[in-house]
Amino acid sequence: MDKECMEERSNVEIRFRCTDACTKAEMPDEDRINDINLLIFDEYGLLEKHVFVENGPESCSVNLLKGVRYTVCACANFGYKVMADCIDDLKELAFYMAYPDEYRDGMPMAGFIDDAVIHDDCRMTIELERLMARIDIRMDRSRLSEGVDM
């Protein structure tokens, strides 16, 4: 790569942070990040770069063109490399779970930054949002009629 081409690019540090949604009895694994799919799309919605990182990444560095607008998307805890050639493919993606507690490697999360313009020493943080909700229900069954089972 020649020097002129290198000057038009910048290393970008992208950090991942879970949103501050919390529950009364939050389990520590709900905010765990086991793996990240980082997909970066150009201004036309086409895939520019895809990085899959395992083992609990807190951040990722990529080299992108300066002055260009990108959409940066992250999918956490999917457990596999996501395939998407364009942003429309990613929007159609569904994550299926066989059991409601099937998140021992971390709850599936996603986040994005739209219209990110790259400049020198660029840093950005993607807020990851959980893709599922957990509801705990407790009930007092002492007043149920005889013969009623729950």
Side-chain angles (χ1 to χ4, degrees):
M1 192 176 273
D2 64 348
K3 186 175 180 176
E4 185 177 286
C5 194
M6 289 287 285
E7 291 174 351
E8 296 177 4
R9 300 184 77 80
S10 180
N11 282 323
V12 180
E13 181 186 1
I14 302 169
R15 299 191 57 75
F16 311 107
R17 184 171 62 205
C18 299
T19 56
D20 291 333
C22 58
T23 60
K24 192 173 184 182
E26 191 168 13
M27 293 174 53
D29 284 347
E30 290 181 7
D31 289 331
R32 177 180 177 189
I33 298 175
N34 189 59
D35 60 75
I36 288 276
N37 277 280
L38 182 66
L39 296 102
I40 302 170
F41 299 95
D42 65 16
E43 59 191 298
Y44 304 107
L46 300 175
L47 185 66
E48 175 86 14
K49 188 172 287 278
H50 183 186
V51 180
F52 178 66
V53 185
E54 296 180 283
N55 302 321
E58 290 182 14
S59 67
C60 183
S61 291
V62 291
N63 193 274
L64 299 171
L65 290 170
K66 288 186 203 176
V68 175
R69 290 188 184 279
Y70 292 103
T71 299
V72 183
C73 304
C75 301
N77 301 327
F78 280 36
Y80 57 87
K81 186 175 179 178
V82 169
M83 298 306 215
D85 292 325
C86 64
I87 201 158
D88 289 336
D89 290 347
L90 187 62
K91 287 178 182 177
E92 295 296 319
L93 183 69
F95 183 84
Y96 297 98
M97 297 176 78
Y99 304 99
D101 60 350
E102 190 180 348
Y103 62 90
R104 75 171 177 266
D105 289 332
M107 192 173 283
M109 295 181 268
F112 73 97
I113 298 173
D114 201 18
D115 288 330
V117 179
I118 306 306
H119 53 81
D120 284 330
D121 299 320
C122 191
R123 290 189 179 119
M124 55 184 83
T125 301
I126 297 179
E127 296 285 339
L128 296 172
E129 190 173 314
R130 296 177 187 156
L131 298 179
M132 60 186 286
R134 182 179 118 182
I135 300 171
D136 292 327
I137 299 174
R138 294 182 188 207
M139 69 170 20
D140 178 6
R141 294 180 288 180
S142 65
R143 295 186 147 201
L144 291 175
S145 299
E146 210 172 300
V148 175
D149 240 356
M150 292 189 111

